[in-house]
Amino acid sequence: MAKVERVRQVLSSPFAAEELKSQTEEGWKIVAIEWEREIPEAAPQAAPVGEEPPFGLQVSKETEQLEVNPTEREALFLMMELTVQEGPYSRIADELNRRGFRTRQGRKWSPVSVFQMLPRLIEVGPRIFSTEEWQERRQRLKAAGL
């Protein structure tokens, strides 16, 4: 398998279309975009709590409440789907990596990191199983004979 190089580029000016074209021609592809903006001083600043939210959730910048992190949520659904299929942790990690999912630390998934997610999957399992999306996935699994 080819080695993947990742570089985080901090911008000091607006990103130009020419730069995107140049990077693409050099073989780079965009894997993430991070946006920031200034907010009025009157807005309350979130105090660091010391504990990060559970995987699949993030703190909303506007309300300081927990909200769904769509990328992590999809990773959880995929982990659950592959776990239900009784796939080994190595296969689950390979599939997560193949689809471009990364751990919170930006690393590739390993069998150990998937195993460490089991308590979180147990915690969110009832909510996942009750969603319409899960029911659709379940039908696809049944149709595929898995």
Side-chain angles (χ1 to χ4, degrees), residues 11-16 19:
L11 303 175
S12 58
S13 62
F15 194 76
E19 190 170 356

Side-chain angles (χ1 to χ4, degrees), residues 2 30 36 46 54 70 74 77 84 95 101 112 115 122 134-135 140 146:
I30 295 176
E36 75 175 16
E74 182 57 31
F77 267 75
V84 167
E95 187 61 20
F101 292 106
V112 171
F115 177 79
I122 291 167
W134 180 260
Q135 298 307 319
R140 285 196 303 267
L146 300 173

Side-chain angles (χ1 to χ4, degrees), residues 29-44:
K29 66 179 181 177
I30 295 176
V31 294
I33 296 178
E34 183 175 305
W35 296 91
E36 75 175 16
R37 66 179 178 181
E38 290 186 22
I39 56 173
E41 288 293 324

